[in-house]
Amino acid sequence: MFLANPLRAAGFVIGGAVGAGLLAALLHSLRLPSVVRVARRRLESYEAATVTLSHGAMAYVDRGCGETILSLHGLYGGYDQGFDNVANLAATHRVIAPSRFGYPGSDVRGAGTPREQAAALVELLDRLGVDQVFALGASAGGTAAIRLALDHPERVKGVILYSSAAPWGSRPESPPSRLGPPPAMNRDWVMWLLSPFFPVAMSMPSNVVDTMLPMSQRRVGAGLDAAVCNPDMAVRFDEYS
C-alpha cells in the first residue's frame, strides 16, 4: 500500500539517497585527521632547507647538479609540488624548488606581488651562489617566472610555462580582481569533502588532495595567488605585453 503512492515512494527514495550521502560524507570526514597527519609527515620528508632573506624566511628544496632549474609551483603547492614537477630531472640538473610567498615555510614580502616574488627569488639565488637559471613556472607559478625574466633578464636563461597562463593577447576591458578559488575553500575539511568530486569537476584524481593538505600551510599563498598573482598580467597588462 505504501509503494502504491508515487509521491510517498519518491520521497522514500530521495530521503534514502540523501541519508546515504550524509553517512558517506560523515565517514569520509572521520578520516581527515589521519590524512592531515600523513600530509604533514610527507612535507617533512622533503627535508627542505630554510634561508632568512631580507623580508623573512623562504623554504626550498635543492637537489642535483648541472644546469639549474628554478621550479616555481602552482596553486596549493609548495617546495614539495615544485620539486615533484621536475623530480625526474634532478639526476642531470640542479633543481631548486622554493615555496613561494605564503606557502610552506615561506614568509610574504610586502603585498606578495609577482614583482616582489621575483626580487625575493633573486635574493635566494644570490644566497645559493647561482648566477642563471631556467625558470619553470607551473600553473599559478607562471606569473612569477615571467616576472623574474622581465625584471632580472640577466638571471634567466629561459622560461618554461607548465600548465600556466601566458601574458594576455589584448588588454582586457575589465581586469579581473580575482582568479582562483574563494577563501572559503582553503580549509582542510572543505577540500577533503570536495575531493571525491575532483575527477568530474576538475578532471583530476581525488587523491590529489593528499598533496594539497595541510591547507593551514598553504592558505595564505593560495589567497595571494587568487587575489594578487593570477590577475597581475591583466591588471598590469602593459608591463607584460
Side-chain angles (χ1 to χ4, degrees), residues 32-229:
L32 179 58
S34 63
V35 171
V36 171
R37 285 194 294 272
V38 170
R40 291 184 186 279
R41 289 197 295 269
R42 175 183 171 276
L43 263 181
E44 294 170 357
S45 72
Y46 286 80
E47 299 181 342
T50 300
V51 63
T52 301
L53 305 179
S54 59
H55 73 282
M58 178 170 280
Y60 64 96
V61 171
D62 185 358
R63 306 268 177 84
C65 59
E67 287 278 13
T68 303
I69 298 172
L70 180 67
S71 181
L72 304 177
H73 63 84
L75 185 71
Y76 297 132
Y79 55 73
D80 54 331
Q81 185 195 98
F83 180 74
D84 288 347
N85 283 341
V86 290
N88 61 321
L89 297 178
T92 54
H93 297 72
R94 182 178 182 181
V95 175
I96 300 173
S99 282
R100 296 188 293 107
F101 293 170
Y103 284 99
S106 291
D107 295 327
V108 179
R109 177 175 181 165
T113 65
R115 172 161 282 153
E116 289 165 323
Q117 291 196 32
L121 291 169
V122 167
E123 197 173 341
L124 172 66
L125 295 178
D126 287 343
R127 293 292 188 91
L128 298 178
V130 177
D131 292 328
Q132 291 186 311
V133 299
F134 287 95
L136 184 148
S139 188
T143 306
I146 294 170
R147 190 78 257 178
L148 179 65
L150 291 174
D151 293 352
H152 308 276
E154 74 284 356
R155 309 302 294 267
V156 179
K157 287 188 173 182
V159 175
I160 305 163
L161 299 181
Y162 176 42
S163 297
S164 164
W168 290 57
S170 60
R171 184 189 303 276
E173 293 183 7
S174 179
S177 59
R178 188 178 187 88
L179 286 173
M185 285 188 63
N186 299 333
R187 299 288 186 276
D188 287 339
W189 67 271
V190 174
M191 201 60 68
W192 179 245
L193 289 177
L194 290 175
S195 62
F197 305 99
F198 283 4
V200 174
M202 293 181 282
S203 300
M204 61 176 62
S206 58
N207 63 0
V208 168
V209 73
D210 297 338
T211 68
M212 300 163 70
L213 303 177
M215 292 301 300
S216 59
Q217 296 188 43
R218 310 184 198 266
R219 184 179 303 136
V220 173
L224 282 175
D225 278 346
V228 178
C229 297

